Amino acid sequence: MKTANEIAAITDKAYLERIAHRHDSTMNLINYKLVPSVENAAKQGDTDIRFRIDPDLDRDLVVSVFSAQGYDVKYRGYDMAISWLNAYLKLRTNSK
């Protein structure tokens, strides 16, 4: 039988692997779904996208990544919105 400390170490390893997988899955969502969706929406003249995020993904990571690039990100539960309206309005105001 393994000791409680050995089992705790196994649990910690599994936890870290799960967190890494969650991070990687969220980054894949960002890079391969959300970024193209933002670009496609902008090409159609839209100023935001709305989507539902899977509970297994990291909402805070999505917020952090897009906020760092100047987007406004809001969520309620698993419904999220990414907006670039403020940046667009600033651009339109400065171009006049």
Side-chain angles (χ1 to χ4, degrees):
M1 175 191 303
K2 293 186 183 330
T3 67
N5 288 338
E6 291 170 325
I7 293 298
I10 292 169
T11 301
D12 189 53
K13 181 181 178 205
Y15 171 76
L16 294 174
E17 288 171 357
R18 187 172 0 150
I19 294 299
H21 177 72
R22 184 176 192 218
H23 180 272
D24 292 346
S25 296
T26 303
M27 289 306 297
N28 284 337
L29 171 77
I30 291 168
N31 291 321
Y32 300 115
K33 184 174 181 189
L34 299 181
V35 168
S37 293
V38 165
E39 290 185 22
N40 288 335
K43 288 176 184 175
Q44 294 181 24
D46 295 333
T47 56
D48 70 352
I49 63 167
R50 296 172 188 279
F51 58 96
R52 189 165 190 74
I53 191 166
D54 188 287
D56 293 333
L57 299 177
D58 188 346
R59 289 176 299 193
D60 293 332
L61 181 57
V62 173
V63 171
S64 176
V65 167
F66 279 94
S67 294
Q69 297 301 316
Y71 295 89
D72 295 316
V73 184
K74 295 181 179 154
Y75 66 87
R76 183 176 208 157
Y78 296 104
D79 294 323
M80 298 192 77
I82 297 173
S83 173
W84 53 97
L85 177 61
N86 288 334
Y88 172 71
L89 292 175
K90 222 181 268 187
L91 174 73
R92 296 294 298 155
T93 301
N94 293 334
S95 68
K96 292 182 180 182

